[in-house]
Structures are given as C-alpha cells and as structure tokens.
Amino acid sequence: MPHSMSFANKARLSAALAVLISLVLPVRALAWQWSGNVISSAGGRRKAVALTFDDGPHPVKTPEILELLSDYGIHATFFVTGDNASRYPEIIQQEIDGGHEIGNHTYSHVFLKKVPFETAKSEICALDDLMLENFEYKPKLLRPPGGLYNDKICRFANDLGYEVVLWSIDTKDWAHTSASEITDTVINNVKNGDIILCHDFVGGASYTAAALRTVIPKLLDMGFEFVTVSELLGTE
Ligand SMILES: [Zn+2]
C-alpha cells in the first residue's frame, strides 16, 4: 500500500499538528487585542478599566468631568489636541496635577492616514513638543483621531516612544447619545481591561458627565477599579 500512510506515521503527523496548533493558538488569542502595535484592550485578570476622554480640553465640560473623577478619587486618561491644549493650558495643568494621564490626539485633530506622511509626523510631534515645552510632560500614548492609522504611522509613533491606543467600548457620546444609552453600553459590555472611549469636547449637547454619574458608582459596585491607560497596560 504505497500511497497509504502507516498508523505510526499518522500518529506522528497528528502529534506534529497538535504542537503546531498549540504554538499558533496563543498568538491568535492575542491577535484580537493586539493588531500590530495597536492596543484596544488590556484584557487580563485584573478587574480594572480605563476611562478615556478625547478632543479636549473644553472650558466647561472638562472641569465638570475632572470634578466628578475627583469626587470618586479616580484617574482617567485625556487624549488632548494641541489646538485645545494651547487654548486652555490651565486645564491641562489641572489634569496633570490631578494624577490623570495625558495622551496625544494630534495638534489639530487630523486623520493621520488621510494626510501626507510628513503632515502626520508633524501633527504628532507638535503636540509632543507642546506638552514637553509647556508642561515638562512626555505623553506615552497616541490615539489617532477617528481611529485611523496605518503601519507607517504606528512605526513612527512607536519610534517616538508611543503606544498606539484605540478602545474596546465606544460610548458614541460625540453623537449626543443619551445618558441612559451611554450607561447601558458600558454596563452591558464591560470586561476586565476595557478601554472606554468618551469625549470631553463635544460640540453641542453632551451627556457624558451625566452618564458617568451612574456608570462610575455602578462599576465600582461591580468591583472594577478605574486606572489610567498606562496603569492598565502595566507600563507605569
Ligand atoms: Zn477625536
């Protein structure tokens, strides 16, 4: 029977396949969290989540959120733009003094993969320079506006010492989503290591702070801790 494989050979082949599958599976299990160098969740066993706020600071909405976070003694991560950081430097200082993390959301909120690479680089660097020169603060996280990036941008950001961070729960608060919808989205989907996307700068009505008044105590009751993204990733 020259074309049929012996039993021993079949057994060897399935053993080899089992080894191969066991090598490949852990990589695949990580792949949903790590797409290249882009992080959307920390996963893991620690019952902790990170609240993140994009596009600020806003002169009214950000202080309201900061006060709420301080009432609960918790820290969050603010992905700021250079336009707003240069307009409201005192709020950036308040975020730093309050123990919150500041991330890079580009200088003028450009969609990094839709502009020439040179523009993308200078948008990232301009926010980096602003934070270093004015606040002696080096951001370690980049959240690309609109979640739009490509490999070249990620590599550039990594070379500058940045982790590229997206999110695992989107509250869609920028679309004037009601407080009860935001609350339901978070409470019904929350998992260990989640990175929750909110906005502290929304044009027009925003129910983010109103929702957080329910979300924060509920998650605390469920046993979750609130930490910054770097704390969540264990890089701080
Ligand atoms: Zn944004």
Side-chain angles (χ1 to χ4, degrees):
M1 293 192 293
H3 299 294
S4 138
M5 206 183 268
S6 73
F7 177 78
N9 278 343
K10 273 185 189 161
R12 245 177 258 135
L13 184 67
S14 38
L17 274 175
V19 168
L20 198 65
I21 288 166
S22 72
L23 285 173
V24 168
L25 271 182
V27 175
R28 287 185 56 85
L30 279 174
W32 71 271
Q33 284 171 223
W34 291 79
S35 160
N37 291 319
V38 177
I39 297 156
S40 53
S41 161
R45 290 197 194 153
R46 185 175 176 191
K47 205 163 181 188
V49 294
L51 284 174
T52 66
F53 298 93
D54 287 10
D55 302 351
H58 182 282
V60 177
K61 290 163 185 164
T62 309
E64 191 185 354
I65 287 168
L66 284 171
E67 201 180 323
L68 186 60
L69 298 174
S70 149
D71 286 348
Y72 285 98
I74 62 179
H75 295 142
T77 304
F78 291 86
F79 289 95
V80 305
T81 68
D83 282 334
N84 287 329
S86 59
R87 250 175 238 142
Y88 308 110
E90 67 289 350
I91 302 180
I92 296 282
Q93 194 59 56
Q94 215 182 318
E95 289 170 348
I96 296 171
D97 293 345
H100 303 290
E101 182 164 21
I102 311 272
N104 188 330
H105 201 44
T106 75
Y107 198 92
S108 42
H109 204 269
V110 293
F111 292 152
L112 293 170
K113 79 168 192 185
K114 298 200 170 181
V115 295
F117 185 51
E118 288 307 313
T119 309
K121 287 199 288 189
S122 65
E123 277 283 333
I124 296 169
C125 290
L127 191 279
D128 200 74
D129 291 345
L130 181 152
M131 289 304 300
L132 271 176
E133 283 164 20
N134 296 293
F135 305 98
E136 293 175 7
Y137 186 100
K138 169 73 181 94
K140 294 189 289 185
L141 312 169
L142 171 71
R143 175 170 281 162
L148 300 173
Y149 61 91
N150 58 32
D151 284 352
K152 213 170 161 187
I153 288 161
C154 288
R155 268 198 301 275
F156 175 73
N158 290 159
D159 288 347
L160 267 185
Y162 280 98
E163 299 280 8
V164 180
V165 174
L166 298 182
W167 53 85
S168 49
I169 293 185
D170 182 358
T171 63
K172 297 197 166 48
D173 60 343
W174 55 270
H176 319 299
T177 305
S178 71
S180 64
E181 271 180 89
I182 294 172
T183 304
D184 288 348
T185 300
V186 178
I187 302 299
N188 297 337
N189 294 294
V190 67
K191 303 173 300 302
N192 291 0
D194 269 334
I195 297 173
I196 302 169
L197 171 64
C198 305
H199 294 78
D200 56 334
F201 199 119
V202 174
S206 163
Y207 305 101
T208 311
L212 290 175
R213 283 180 216 288
T214 311
V215 166
I216 295 173
K218 271 199 180 177
L219 290 187
L220 288 171
D221 277 352
M222 289 162 77
F224 283 96
E225 285 180 83
F226 289 89
V227 296
T228 64
V229 171
S230 286
E231 282 166 346
L232 194 68
L233 300 176
T235 52
E236 194 174 78

